[in-house]
Amino acid sequence: MYGKEIKKVLISKAQIDERVRELGKKISEDYAGEKLTMVCTLRGATVFFADLIRQIPNEMEIDFIAVSSYGGGTSTSGEVKMVKDLSSPIEGKNVIIVEDIIDSGVTLSYLVKLLSTRAPKSLKVCSLLDKPSRRKVDFKGDYVGFEIENEYVVGFGLDYDQKMRNLPEVCVLKEEVYAK
Ligand code: PRP
């Protein structure tokens, strides 16, 4: 399953499953009796999103949004481009943006600012991973699965050059792979 590019497994499937259950429980308690609109940010968050929504029993709509700030590179360009907007209005809705990782914070700052202008009833962010040491703009997630060090992570939705998203665990990539 793991090729020679992988240095180690950082977060196992069992650890992810347990944390996703906890996050789902917390969200369903915080929004008890409320309807939710869960927004998946393409593409990295898809795997986490699919697991998370099944841990939340609330009445729910799902929607998808895609923005890009990385181009083909490994660090943010700082400029966010809309690739695919939501399909439905979010006015008056309880919206939770679901991400795979908060890195520089640029993507989520942009998304929160953008979606706030559409008058949701509430707007929060849930991210599986958080790399606080990499922030370029001040940003804090409302629900965070794991805080991690500044290592290049792949798997469970996260890619290197669009590959490895299908690895079932969060893994660390060998430095020589991305330093090339
Ligand atoms: C990744 C990730 C977040 C963003 C986080 O997306 O999914 O959206 O970068 O980085 P930031 O905090 O520095 O903005 P990417 O643009 O690589 O697209 P992907 O989800 O399709 O992999």
Side-chain angles (χ1 to χ4, degrees):
M1 186 82 213
Y2 303 108
K4 54 185 183 325
E5 296 101 337
I6 298 302
K7 188 168 156 187
K8 62 175 179 184
V9 173
L10 184 67
I11 311 171
S12 71
K13 188 71 180 80
Q15 288 173 297
I16 297 171
D17 286 348
E18 191 189 345
R19 192 70 187 115
V20 171
R21 272 197 300 274
E22 288 170 1
L23 288 170
K25 186 164 179 282
K26 178 83 173 84
I27 291 171
S28 49
E29 284 166 4
D30 289 354
Y31 290 87
E34 299 269 354
K35 292 180 197 166
L36 283 168
T37 299
M38 304 294 287
V39 171
C40 177
T41 55
L42 299 171
R43 291 170 252 186
T46 48
V47 180
F48 173 47
F49 186 79
D51 281 1
L52 180 67
I53 60 170
R54 287 177 290 173
Q55 297 297 327
I56 303 171
N58 301 48
E59 195 177 323
M60 181 185 291
E61 288 176 46
I62 65 169
D63 208 338
F64 298 85
I65 197 164
V67 292
S68 161
S69 69
Y70 278 62
T74 54
S75 70
T76 180
S77 63
E79 197 181 306
V80 183
K81 216 174 59 191
M82 174 66 73
V83 177
K84 183 219 165 288
D85 204 342
L86 295 174
S87 299
S88 305
I90 53 164
E91 188 177 346
K93 307 244 166 113
N94 292 306
V95 177
I96 300 183
I97 304 171
V98 180
E99 259 293 15
D100 52 348
I101 188 162
I102 313 171
D103 193 297
S104 70
V106 168
T107 303
L108 277 164
S109 298
Y110 169 86
L111 280 174
V112 166
K113 207 165 152 195
L114 175 76
L115 298 191
S116 300
T117 64
R118 302 181 184 178
K121 181 177 177 190
S122 65
L123 179 61
K124 286 197 178 173
V125 169
C126 177
S127 181
L128 177 68
L129 305 174
D130 188 4
K131 270 189 194 175
S133 63
R134 293 259 304 172
R135 282 301 187 285
K136 285 190 180 159
V137 296
D138 190 28
F139 188 86
K140 205 172 172 314
D142 300 287
Y143 304 97
V144 168
F146 302 90
E147 267 194 20
I148 60 170
E149 300 295 318
N150 185 19
E151 294 182 295
Y152 200 120
V153 281
V154 293
F156 205 74
L158 292 112
D159 74 306
Y160 166 66
D161 201 15
Q162 299 305 333
K163 293 175 292 198
M164 306 187 197
R165 294 192 195 272
N166 55 323
L167 293 177
E169 300 171 301
V170 177
C171 299
V172 176
L173 197 62
K174 278 186 187 160
E175 272 151 44
E176 64 246 38
V177 177
Y178 60 85
K180 268 194 280 191

